[in-house]
Amino acid sequence: MEEDAFIPLKLSSKEQEELLSKREAQAAMASHHLEKLELRSHVMLPGDYQMQVHIIECRDLKGGNSNGLCDAYARVRVMGRIKKTRVIRKVSGCVFDDTLYFNFTGLTCSAIEEAGIELQVYDFDAFLAHKLIGMATFDARSIHALPNHEFYRKWVGLINNKARDSSGYHGFIKVSLTILGPGDEQLSHDLDAEYQKELAEEADQSSGFGIVALEGPNIDVKTTFLVVFVWEARDLSVMDSTHLFSSARVEAYVRVDFSGMQAMTSVVSVLGRANLAPEFNEELWLPITEPTETRRISVGLWNYSAHTQDRPIAHVYFDLDDVRHSGDLRTSQGLFGWAFAKTSNYMGPRPRWHCLYGAPAGIQGKRGALQNRYGEEASTYRGQLLLSMEILTNPPSNLKHTARRTAFRFKPTLGLTPPTAKYHLRALALMGSEIPQFRSAGIRTTTKMRLVISIGNHELNYGWEQNKRGVVVWNKLLTLKAIRLPVLIEEIPDVCVYLVRGPPKVSTVCFSRIPAARVLQQQFRGGPYWEMLKPEPSGTTYPSGMMLDMNPGAILLKLGFGLSEDAMDPAFSWPEVELMKKVEERTPFCLRVYIYQAKDLPASDENGLLDPYIKVRFCGKKEKTRVHSTTTSPLFYETLEFHEMLPVDIRFGPDIIVQVWDRDIFSSRTPKALLRLPLTKCPVLSSESSKPPLPTWHKLTTVGAVPLSSAILMSAALIRKRDLAERFSRSGSITPQMRQAWVEVTCVGVRQLKAHRLRTPQAPYVRIDVPAPNERGTNVKTRSSSVPCGRNANFLERKIMAVEMPENALYAQHMDLRVYDAHIGLSTGLQNPLVGACSIDLATKMPWNSEDFVPPQMELFSDSDLWRQKEEKQQDSNLRTQAEFPEGIIELGTGKFAADVDLGFCENGYREIECDDYHELERRDDEFAAFTSGDAGTGAFNQLTLSGLPMIYEDVVYMREQDQLAQNISREGRPMTFLDAVDSQISSAAEALTSLETSYKLSELPISFPSQWAAADYIEGREWWTEQNGRELENYLRNKPFESYKVFRGKYHQNAAKSTLRCVGVFKGILRILDANPAFEEKPFFPMRVLASSAYTVRLYVIRGMNLQPVDGNSSDPYLRVKLGSDVEDRKSSHCTRTLKPDFYDTFEFHTVLPGPSTLKIQVKEWNRIYPVHEIIGQTEIDLEDRWFHSEWQKLDSLRKAGMNKLKPIEIRNLHKDTSPLVQGQLHLWLEIRPESETHREPPVELRGPEKRKFEVRVICWKSKDVPFEMGDYFAEFWIGEYRKQKTDVHWRCRNGQGSWNWRIKIPVELPLDSPEKGRLVVQLWDQDIIKWNEVVGDAQIDLYRWFLKAYHEKRAINIFKDINEAIARKQSLRSGEDSNQATESNVTSQVAESPLSLSLVESAEDETALLDTNQTKGAVMGSNHLQDHTGHRKYQTAEKDAQYFVKQLKELVGLGEIDESTRWIKMTYHDVRTNRLTSRGSLAISVSLNKRIASSCF
């Protein structure tokens, strides 16, 4: 009994029930906490990730320049890497259309889940620091959880909480974010169709035509505050090294990061070496502009340093959705404005202790950066931090929106500290197995090992013990008694197990972290078990510098943890004497290990094979099987025996270590794979003659505990003995029951054989071996063939073998397939060199295997979704197993962190790496520099004449009211919401396209717009597959007509950089297993006559590429390279320029023989002017034989010939790269295969892209109105996309904002456009100043994309506003039921009647008619007098109207007349920097027309 044990009073039945229910509740809480930990972990799988940031455009940017505009560029920061867009000058809104790619390799779960994307928009300055306009942040975890793992084409507000006027949005940015990880695929979008849909949706939100509000939700800006209460920290250790002039201390502060903002507490210095407890008692306030896309909150504990960089101690992370919301905050209005009210009681959420984990003490800098950043990957307990946080939904209105800190508004009391309780921790350390061995310097013995078990700052230290061949024995029970820990399970630190190597240099080698809830759940009742260790991440080298690439080992432990009152209960006591008796009390056992076979062993020789044998270690002894030569799937069927004294309770016994070794004659033998089998999984047989237990397949790992795809079929059993010297008879054979079967292999050929030793295979042949137990295997060989070539040789043979196969498919052997080259040369001697080999599992080929049998020709395509789903299910367990190992932390052979090297990690977080060589990339305008001085415009007066003339006022003053939205702005003076900003930005354009009496949507008018640039003739009948959301055509064909088996060559290494194992070719055929001899079948399964060689023509049509990965920079110059056999074609001379979504429209035609060279390899390469070797962006492969010999493919041809229009469909194929598992882009293409006899009757489809056509946009700027300035010198500036800006002349000394220009601008445009966003006409109104800088008055944007499409297809001039007005007239006439001809006549009559001359003629005719009527009724005399008076009055009116018409013509001549139907008023808006409001700044009357440009025209 323990010294603290006691015999409690006898409890009543009720008290006993209460005690049991209390313990059950505690166990249930621990189980619930473990479930939460399991759900929270592995949200994202470890591995390689790609993050794509597509920056589309910005609007309403808050200008920082003196002219009210900004020189904008975007800067994206992801995990320490930085990339930038080009700079666009003098804009308040611009289109970038830049895609930035970020690739990361070997990310751990914690690293990718806590990663963030920070998007900032800056105002460029050539001399001073660039000014931040605003920023938006995103979480990788949230983006990856969205459908298709993308945040697609959405508007996001830009905030700048560091500025003085930080309230509200400082602009808007439209972005797309995509995060792709292991097994993810990117969705291919039809940008033209989606943009048309966006325009239609935006048109429904506005009342205008052609110019619509930007797409986006109605974002109501709301500011809340995240309040973090930082109370105190405890259990901290010293950080700074002591010297003569300083003492041991920690200078700690807490930093909170959220959405790009930071808030820090004051630095608190505490003297001491351990168990330091600084008190902060401060609140950190961080403003949140809602809605926000950021959810993760980072809280870090840092150590301040006056001379070096501050060092992180540890970090913890929280989710914004888990933070409690509170309402109003009690405040008081102090003398100097708003101030916190001092309250006596704390009203916030209850504070909680949060455990901190990081690198071991003394490990800083790059070695400990990852552990100090991500606690889930850390090995050492660093202390606890007492925190609470809440979201203040209704902050005071006069509180500045900046991050701040302040002291507690209340007095902290002891009652707020989380309660604690006394706990006991018991640990019985028995032994360690496969413990790493270290040689002492100058001593030939191995160093001793010590075990340390800790919880919090409380430790159990076991003695130094000798390491004997990887086995260390402690057999010691230690107890931590009555230690104070929190009551809540979430606040209790983990139980940490450390394996420490001995003197002279003491360091931690391996560790393991066990959640306290797992041990607490068992309540001192858990049995002994083997705890697997992991290498210490920050100390992964031997003292001599060698990497710790061996197995970190395992420790046999029995742990107990719980409340002290439960520990002292006799029911939960651990009598040390009895426990040691169980450990030391031993009885003789015979352990039999039954080794049946292994599969997919890692290749150890350069030929892709190995000479394997199995070595079993148990209790310091070893036994091994015989060696099998040159195979990766050997059949052993051997029994290995061990006779040892084992504990009576086998739970205290050692593990069985099973190792796979490779025999090498001229070098040392090394283990290649490992399996640890607990002794508890071995049943105890009744006698030595008992039947062995049924074997199972066990997954193997490398010696460094990295999971492999290899497996071993084995079992083990224990047999009790009377004494150790008792002899057992030899165990019987474990060979399973066999049956006679026949294997039929239809050998089609080998494809894409790689060169070996710089020699291409000349005459390959295949040897097929089907092994069987007791060396009774069978093998056959094909004939050597060089037809049509050695690399793609055809065999066209059927081989039949009579073999013995097991009745139970569990014991099914693997078929060895090896490819040799029959050509003998000087380099090979008389032996035929082995080109490649592979192993084929026959379990799925056995027809008597009812569960897993796969019939012939039912193999799934490797590019199909069904195959991917099957592979994901098989690899899911492996991937999640790898997540438990510190993958990505150890990089073999370098002694560095692989993630550190890739991510640029430093002790302060991620080191910022400039990924672009440029800081500023201006808009390109040299392409159209020839059109800079063609047309000087037609101004009303030039500058000198205008300055000498008196001011002219218009006779007719237009009394139209201001826009209702502009009135609201000036009257209310309130900040704009998102829709207010967007509507006011383009409301003038909407008004220009809308009639005063009608409000039609553009979609309601009889105007048709094309949907894409290219003609759709070649697409008709080929979209039936993509309309079903199909991608690769393999998903439609599903099953392969032939089975393909890859052959490999080279050595495997767990470090991919050192591994030479690679695929060197493919064997193609059909494999069957039958009960009867297939030679006597009446009809062969696959008639060989079908495989008769014939000539075919292959036509490949590549339409476009999407989402291409740039090789370097932010853009690419891609071109296509297609290879079939030895025929290669490329389009290097016609490469695309500066695009990641190229339109290829290329046709490739090849002539081939099938069966024969069948792999069509389609590559997208990066053109480079300087380097001759062009790097590959990505490639995809299509097997022509799998297409042509497939029944579904032939059915498509039969449907087409029958007139059912089932053409070969367009498919979307993913591009891949050997150096990355991630998708590198997509290609849109289709494939046709035709016999040579039919080729001349069916010419290739004419696949041509949209023709480049040159247009010009003619903009006539007439005049302005309602500009809210008394006088100014105004001019207007226009541009489209990346084309050169053009401006009018200056209207000097313009009064009342009524300028006049009559200026024509001609902007050259080449269609089609690269992006829909580049089809916008930007209009700016400026105020010229001779002495100082010019100031912008306002700007607007007009979307012309649909009109560009219309002009391109109709090949005619289009006057946009005039066409809209005519469409409105037609719409109104159809609504009123009037005939279109009558409407035309009435319009002509009304236009003719406006002329004074025409009006006088009509009136004269009316007068004459009236005269005749008067003579008839009243007499000639009276009629004559009346006619004279009336005629004089009519002549006076005619003269007056002639004068009015002349004045009207004169006004129109000088630009002061009314606007016609081809002109509309475009409203100008301005984002005021000081008030952060969007205001109306008048209107411009402009006409816009699209004309086809003539090459010989001069501008």
Side-chain angles (χ1 to χ4, degrees), residues 376-537:
E376 296 294 332
E377 314 293 337
S379 63
T380 308
Y381 171 77
R382 301 301 300 270
Q384 286 185 316
L385 187 62
L386 186 61
L387 295 173
S388 61
M389 58 183 66
E390 64 179 354
I391 297 177
L392 192 62
T393 56
N394 297 319
S397 58
N398 57 349
L399 182 61
K400 291 185 178 180
H401 298 170
T402 56
R404 64 177 63 210
R405 74 165 178 258
T406 182
F408 277 172
R409 294 172 286 110
F410 51 88
K411 184 178 180 180
T413 60
L414 294 177
L416 295 175
T417 306
T420 60
K422 293 183 179 180
Y423 291 85
H424 268 47
L425 174 65
R426 295 180 181 141
L428 174 61
L430 300 174
M431 62 181 301
S433 176
E434 293 298 304
I435 301 300
Q437 302 181 51
F438 301 92
R439 295 286 180 182
S440 300
I443 306 176
R444 295 186 177 182
T445 60
T446 58
T447 59
K448 295 183 178 181
M449 309 299 291
R450 185 179 70 180
L451 190 66
V452 179
I453 300 177
S454 66
I455 180 168
N457 276 353
H458 309 280
E459 290 186 353
L460 293 173
N461 292 285
Y462 294 81
W464 296 99
E465 300 294 341
Q466 194 67 38
N467 188 350
K468 300 178 180 179
R469 294 184 178 181
V471 178
V472 182
V473 179
W474 287 283
N475 288 341
K476 191 174 183 180
L477 173 65
L478 296 179
T479 304
L480 284 173
K481 304 173 183 179
I483 55 176
R484 281 284 179 181
L485 294 174
V487 173
L488 292 178
I489 299 177
E490 296 85 351
E491 301 178 6
I492 302 177
D494 292 346
V495 178
C496 299
V497 180
Y498 301 102
L499 184 64
V500 184
R501 63 177 298 271
K505 183 177 181 180
V506 178
S507 62
T508 301
V509 179
C510 309
F511 81 101
S512 177
R513 271 174 54 187
I514 308 170
R518 184 195 305 172
V519 190
L520 190 62
Q521 182 184 15
Q522 300 173 355
Q523 295 182 341
F524 299 102
R525 297 174 179 173
Y529 71 100
W530 286 93
E531 179 67 30
M532 303 298 297
L533 301 179
K534 294 185 289 186
E536 165 57 46

Side-chain angles (χ1 to χ4, degrees), residues 10-38:
K10 186 177 181 181
L11 301 177
S12 63
S13 59
K14 184 177 181 180
E15 291 175 339
Q16 188 70 23
E17 291 178 1
E18 291 178 355
L19 180 61
L20 292 177
S21 61
K22 178 182 176 181
R23 292 174 177 173
E24 290 176 358
Q26 190 177 28
M29 292 175 59
S31 300
H32 179 67
H33 181 63
L34 289 175
E35 292 176 359
K36 289 174 59 178
L37 292 177
E38 184 66 24

